[in-house]
Each structure stands twice: as C-alpha cells, then as structure tokens.
Amino acid sequence: MAELAQIGVTGLAVMGRNLARNFARNGFRVAVHNRSFEKTKSLIDDHGTEGVFVASESTADFVASLQKPRTVVIMVKAGGPTDAVIDELAQHMEPGDIIVDGGNAHFPDTVRRENALKEKGLHFVGAGISGGEEGALLGPSIMPGGSPDSYQTLGPILEKISAKVDGVPCCTYVGPEGAGHFVKMVHNGIEYADMQLIAEAYDLLRSGLGAEVSEIADIFAAWNEGDLESFLIEVTAEVLKQVDAETGKPLVDIIVDRAAQKGTGKWTVQNALDLGVPITGIGEATFARGVSSSVPQREAGQRVLPAIAGEWQIEDRAAFIEDVRLALYASKVVAYSQGFDQIAAASAEYGWNIDRGAMARIWRGGCIIRARFLNRITEAYETNPDLALLLADPFFTDVVTKGLESWRRIVAHSALNGVAVPAFSSSLSYYDGIRAKRLPAALIQGQRDFFGAHTYQRVDKPGTFHTQWTGDRTEVEA
C-alpha cells in the first residue's frame, strides 16, 4: 500500500498548483485535488517528476489519502467558494485535523470559520501567503494564524517551503484566530502605498524632467542598488524597460491608466478606521486607485477644470532626481510605520500578542514588499518591542531627517506645477502632524461641544467640561 500523503492541497489554479509543487520539491508527499480533475491530471502530467503526488478525484478519497492529523491547504477563491470547500472537507475530517486557508480571506471571516470548526474539534488556520506565482513555487513569505497546537504540526512544513533570508525561514506563527490573515491584509495595504508612491515618483520624473521612459527605467534600476533596494523597485525598472511589440512604444504608455484592486487595501483602511489608527499613506493610495478608475468624473474634469499651474523649471537634473529618491524613501518609511502601528493596535484590541519584529523578519524575503530596510525594522522592534512609533527609532529618524528638505520641495513643486502626489503629500502631512507639539484639534473639540455638547478637556486642570454656548457661556464640569 502506498504511503499516505503528509500535506494536501485543494484548488489547483496557478497559486495552488505552484504551492503543491513547492511541497513536493521539498520532499513532502502531497495529496492534490481540484473540483475539476483535469487540472489535477495536468499537474501530474506536467510536473509529476518533481516529487511524490497523490491524486484524487473525490473529496472523500483526497482526505483518506492523508496521514493523521490530516492537513489540507485550501487555495480557492475567497468568500463563498472557500466556505463551500471547508464545509465539504469537514464532513470527511476528524477531531484534530487541520484545515488551512491560504487565500486572501478577510480576517473576520477567518475568525468565524475558526469558531465554527472548533465546535467540530477541527483546527482552522488562516495563513497569509505572499509572493505571487513565483513565490508560491520558489518560496513565499507565510503568515499562519490559528491555534498554537496546529502550528506544531504545520509549522515545520511551512517553514521548509518558505523563502529563506540568511538561513532564517520567512514564516512564523503570527497569533490566534484571524491574526495571520490580518497581518497579510496589512502587508497588502503597505503594498498599495508602496506601489502608489513609486508610481508618483515615476510621474514626477517624467513631468519634471521630461525624461524618456527608458531613462526613468535606468533611474529605478540604479535606485535598486542602494537604500531603496526592494522587489517593487526592481519590478518597476523591468516594467518601464518593456517595449510594446505591436506599437514600438513603452508598454507603460499603452496600458490603460486605471488601477484595479481586489479588496485588501479597502479592508485595511476600513479596519484602521475601526481601530482609530491613521494610515494616511495607505488610505490615499487606496483612494488614488479609485480616482484612476473614476472614468466619468475624470472625463468631466479634463474638459473644464483648469490647472492654473506653473511649468517645471529644473536647472539641476541630478539634484531633482535625488530629491525624488529621498522623498520616496521617507514616504515609504511612513507607510511601513503606519502599517506596523495598525498591527500593534489590532494585537492589543483582539488579544493576539503579535511580535512586530517577527513580522518584519518574515517579510524580508518571498513577499511583494520585501525590501532592504526591513532588516532595520526588525532590529528596531527587537531593540524595543514596545516601540510606539517606528519613525522614532534612531535609524528611521535619521532617514526622514536627511530626506525632509527634499520631501518638502517635491510636495511643494508638485502642488505648484499641478501634479497629483496624494501619497507623497499625505505622508508628509502625517509626519508634520505626528511631530507637532499642538494640533488644531482643540478647535474641533470646541466646535463639537458647541453644536453637540460633546464636552472637552483642559490643559490646565483635570476633568471633562462643557461650555453653555446657547446660554450665558459659562463653563460647567460635565
């Protein structure tokens, strides 16, 4: 009788297929299953020599082909399809078995699913998996949540197939319930901000310098050799180098300028509002995609809205490029700082005890937002696990200080010359707000008290107060 499989994957579209191959390449016996058996057969036909695959046509046979505790990774579309697969699997599984959702599920759905399966004695793990198709095959960053007990079985398998940086797996236990999918959600939110900032930098170089796309590609390639080294900067240079075969023009000029989204950025912003965490860079990046897709509004605006803007007067091209680089670096740091603030707030709110340093460590390889300075973020939280603000860490304080004059020049020039840089400008405003000794929020509290008797506190004595605005305007203690 053939040996039972150690891990199972159901859902063999590109991500599931590559993940199954990754398990097999790392020496695991892999049970594979898909609703349509043609995809299962295709995997075996194309890649059956890469390792040991155990193919099944039915869910019952698939589950039966696994050794106990049975461990199944679901790689299907988020939402209803995931629920349907979970329900079907649960009918054939026993207490102690583990179901892993490796898709981009909304973390409240993960919490709901875990609670439902717990009643049946099953472990449910929401695992964020980042790295796209290539990462799934060659080594992703993996963020598993769920019960600590489930990680005892699952952890060694996931750590072995994950990306490695300095020999350290880009996978660790994140926390209970939906913590894994939550951290992946914030990762994607940071990704939104990072991509928007890079796009704004590209736009500034093109608008300000009148540079050809090929020159800008070279600029990004050069940046990728320094402090800005990251997967997304590398990708940007490659995209900008690409020439459309049909027209001979840069591909970026042929692509329609409407950025799509699948929901993780929106979820990140919605949750930040619930937690009261200002993730302005991520928020503006999410809204910028909305602006790009607002076709009727953009067409109306293009017809009638004047720019009343100046013309770029760049006397020193090298200095301008360096200003954009420094502003990009500072703004990227703000996005990461805000994301880690959100993780800390959620960890406290939901009792997850997430280690932010560990999250930075597993993002160093495999994932979309991997970047050189994640090593520095890891060090910052290892030095001070209770660090209230990443920007207050000496290394990152130095980064933004060195870039501050450039940052201000870039945002000011953009406003004067009519170039939209919502992520750059909101990040700078956040920086100025978070460092300010006193903010105009005092006036807002006064306004709220005037029209809604919402009360206020004073700087000179304790207590909560209300001014009788429609009466004699005396102050009373609330």
Side-chain angles (χ1 to χ4, degrees), residues 9 47 55 146 170 202 225 274 284 309 312 333 337 360 388 391 411 428:
V9 178
H47 306 289
C170 293
Y202 154 77
E225 299 298 319
D274 291 338
E284 286 298 341
W312 290 96
V333 170
S337 182
L391 294 176
V411 171
L428 178 59

Side-chain angles (χ1 to χ4, degrees), residues 13-316:
V14 176
M15 283 291 290
R17 181 186 182 96
N18 282 0
L19 197 66
R21 292 173 62 196
N22 191 348
F23 284 126
R25 287 176 167 193
N26 277 281
F28 296 105
R29 298 185 301 278
V30 189
V32 289
H33 170 263
N34 193 77
R35 185 179 60 177
S36 165
F37 187 67
E38 284 75 14
K39 285 190 176 180
T40 308
K41 186 176 182 302
S42 171
L43 170 61
I44 302 300
D45 290 344
D46 294 344
H47 306 289
T49 60
E50 294 182 345
V52 179
F53 295 99
V54 182
S56 298
E57 291 195 52
S58 70
T59 301
D61 288 344
F62 171 62
V63 173
S65 70
L66 289 159
Q67 68 182 29
K68 298 180 181 180
R70 303 177 184 91
T71 304
V72 176
V73 181
I74 300 171
M75 297 298 292
V76 301
K77 187 176 179 181
T82 298
D83 281 320
V85 173
I86 291 170
D87 290 343
E88 189 171 1
L89 285 170
Q91 295 175 25
H92 303 282
M93 300 183 87
E94 299 174 356
D97 290 346
I98 303 167
I99 297 177
V100 182
D101 176 12
N104 274 334
H106 197 193
F107 79 94
D109 288 337
T110 303
V111 174
R112 168 179 59 79
R113 289 163 180 157
E114 183 180 9
N115 288 333
L117 291 177
K118 191 181 298 181
E119 294 180 1
K120 300 180 180 181
L122 300 175
H123 295 286
F124 183 73
V125 174
I129 300 177
S130 179
E133 298 173 16
E134 182 176 309
L137 179 62
L138 302 179
S141 173
I142 309 177
M143 297 149 259
S147 68
D149 288 345
S150 66
Y151 197 75
Q152 296 300 311
T153 299
L154 188 61
I157 300 175
L158 296 184
E159 289 177 15
K160 189 168 183 180
I161 71 157
S162 71
K164 310 291 188 301
V165 175
D166 300 327
V168 178
C170 293
C171 173
T172 192
Y173 176 66
V174 175
E177 299 178 330
H181 274 150
F182 180 89
V183 167
K184 176 55 162 59
M185 177 191 78
V186 175
H187 164 286
N188 284 22
I190 295 172
E191 180 184 309
Y192 272 53
D194 208 341
M195 294 172 74
Q196 176 66 26
L197 289 165
I198 290 170
E200 290 177 14
Y202 154 77
D203 198 22
L204 286 164
L205 293 171
R206 198 158 189 189
S207 301
L209 299 177
E212 297 293 331
V213 173
S214 58
E215 180 187 353
I216 301 174
D218 291 339
I219 290 170
F220 275 97
W223 285 353
N224 198 48
E225 299 298 319
D227 294 332
L228 285 175
E229 180 191 351
S230 67
F231 176 70
L232 284 172
I233 295 288
E234 178 186 348
V235 165
T236 299
E238 292 300 319
V239 171
L240 293 177
K241 289 176 185 175
Q242 186 67 23
V243 174
D244 177 56
E246 186 174 334
T247 64
K249 296 179 180 179
L251 180 63
V252 72
D253 286 344
I254 302 302
I255 298 173
V256 174
D257 62 336
R258 295 198 293 272
Q261 54 183 309
K262 289 188 175 180
T264 47
K266 176 185 72 175
W267 294 341
T268 308
V269 175
Q270 289 172 331
N271 174 260
L273 291 171
D274 291 338
L275 294 173
V277 180
I279 56 165
T280 56
I282 297 171
E284 286 298 341
T286 306
F287 289 127
R289 293 195 186 191
V291 170
S292 76
S293 300
S294 299
V295 177
Q297 293 84 357
R298 289 181 64 191
E299 289 176 346
Q302 290 163 24
R303 285 195 295 269
V304 300
L305 298 180
I308 312 181
E311 295 291 332
W312 290 96
Q313 300 293 330
I314 305 300
E315 297 179 0
D316 188 332

Side-chain angles (χ1 to χ4, degrees), residues 165-166 194 220-234 325 329 332-333 336 360-361 363-380 395-396 399:
V165 175
D166 300 327
D194 208 341
F220 275 97
W223 285 353
N224 198 48
E225 299 298 319
D227 294 332
L228 285 175
E229 180 191 351
S230 67
F231 176 70
L232 284 172
I233 295 288
E234 178 186 348
R325 186 188 73 84
Y329 193 9
K332 281 162 69 80
V333 170
Y336 282 76
R361 187 169 61 250
W363 287 349
R364 294 181 304 161
C367 74
I368 303 301
I369 64 170
R370 59 186 184 267
R372 178 185 292 189
F373 65 76
L374 278 162
N375 280 314
R376 295 292 192 169
I377 297 177
T378 302
E379 291 170 8
F395 175 83
F396 291 107
V399 167

